[in-house]
């Protein structure tokens, strides 16, 4: 058990960075809708803080964080927005479930795996890694005590309830009991599985570790593959997503077990993912507002992401130099 080192600044930063990455950097929401953070931050940010706190407090690392991020996907998209089951999500006629549709489950294979990628690797993974780089001295320690975690849990529940209410008002859609129960049970199983993963293993001496520039470039290329896999490929698109995920996880597992792996490498993966979101945002049609305002917003959020990456790298390098 790791003794908590309270860092309220880090918690608040993660609380707001997460929804900014998940919705604004991605290009779903423009700058003028920053007020939506009132409900998005408790849901996204609250989840990220709880996931990170739980993993770090129990002495676990990224495998547990990502597994809990996958569980959050089922909570967020299966129980709250229910986009995994809604054939006309947001009533925008996007036909998200048509690609690799599974009639028995009422889900689209492509959309389901795409959501797992976006929330597991980006919403949770990228956000947590970026913020941990800003606080390198306490990157692997919990930032709150049990009381603080309890407060965040309450905020998360309230934020999730608010998001559900807003979504229901927009969609007037509720998934079947079987679908909701399945999402709930699977999310619990993923949470349980996250703690069956052994605590961090000792790193192996020797072996080659690429520079953070290379690992960041690999993350960027693979991330672009995820973002640009055409859904019209159907099951081939699902296969492509799974293949990209497998390559990423295998490479990270192999490299991160070497003694040369550092906090800069972890930041580089988050940087590649953040840049994927920021650049890809310029290629999609805005869901809200006009094109000009959205492109201004895309520019602002991409610039903010680059600044955050630079600041994180600077702090990590300074910490490693002094350590």
């Amino acid at each position: 058990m790791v003794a908590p080192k309270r860092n309220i600044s880090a918690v608040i930063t993660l609380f707001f960075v997460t929804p900014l990455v998940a919705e604004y950097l991605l290009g779903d929401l423009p700058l003028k809708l920053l007020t939506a953070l009132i409900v998005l931050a408790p849901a996204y940010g609250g989840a990220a803080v709880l996931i990170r706190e739980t993993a770090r407090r129990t002495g676990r690392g990224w495998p547990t964080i990502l597994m809990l991020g996958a569980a959050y996907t089922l909570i967020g998209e299966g129980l709250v927005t229910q986009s995994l089951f809604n054939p006309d999500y947001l009533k925008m006629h996007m036909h998200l479930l048509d690609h690799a549709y599974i009639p028995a489950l009422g889900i689209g294979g492509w959309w389901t795996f795409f959501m797992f990628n976006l929330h597991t690797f980006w919403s949770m993974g990228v956000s947590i890694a970026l913020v941990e780089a800003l606080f390198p001295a306490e990157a692997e320690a919990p930032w709150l005590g049990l009381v603080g975690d309890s407060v965040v849990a309450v905020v998360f529940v309230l934020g999730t309830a608010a998001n559900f209410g807003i979504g229901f008002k927009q969609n007037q859609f509720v998934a079947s009991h079987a679908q909701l129960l399945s999402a709930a049970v699977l999310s619990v199983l993923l949470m349980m599985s996250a703690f069956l993963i052994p605590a961090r293993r000792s790193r192996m001496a020797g072996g080659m570790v690429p520079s953070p520039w290379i690992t960041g470039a690999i993350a960027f290329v693979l991330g672009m593959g995820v973002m640009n896999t055409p859904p019209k490929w159907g099951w081939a698109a699902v296969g492509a997503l799974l293949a990209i995920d497998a390559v990423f996880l295998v490479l990270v597992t192999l490299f991160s077990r070497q003694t040369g792996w550092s906090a800069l490498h972890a930041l580089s993966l988050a940087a590649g993912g953040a840049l994927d979101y920021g650049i890809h945002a310029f290629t999609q049609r805005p869901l809200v507002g006009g094109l000009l305002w959205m492109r201004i917003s895309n520019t602002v959020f991409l610039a903010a992401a680059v600044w955050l990456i630079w600041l994180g790298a600077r702090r990590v390098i300074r910490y490693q130099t002094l350590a």
Side-chain angles (χ1 to χ4, degrees), residues 186-249:
L186 287 175
S187 66
V188 171
L189 290 176
L190 283 172
M191 285 185 249
M192 294 172 61
S193 299
F195 296 98
L196 296 177
I197 300 173
R200 300 171 195 155
R201 300 175 181 176
S202 58
R203 292 181 180 174
M204 299 180 297
M208 184 196 71
V209 178
S211 76
W213 288 103
I214 294 177
T215 52
I218 292 172
F220 177 79
V221 171
L222 293 176
M224 275 298 179
V226 170
M227 299 304 298
N228 291 288
T229 297
K232 64 182 179 181
W233 287 2
W235 284 108
V238 173
L241 294 179
L242 290 174
I244 292 170
D245 292 345
V247 170
F248 175 79
L249 292 173

Side-chain angles (χ1 to χ4, degrees), residues 4 8 23 75 101 118 139 198 200-201 205 230 250 253-254 282 287 297:
I8 304 301
E23 295 290 349
I75 295 172
Y101 184 64
L118 262 59
R200 300 171 195 155
R201 300 175 181 176
V250 168
T253 300
L254 291 175
F282 285 90
L287 298 178
S297 300

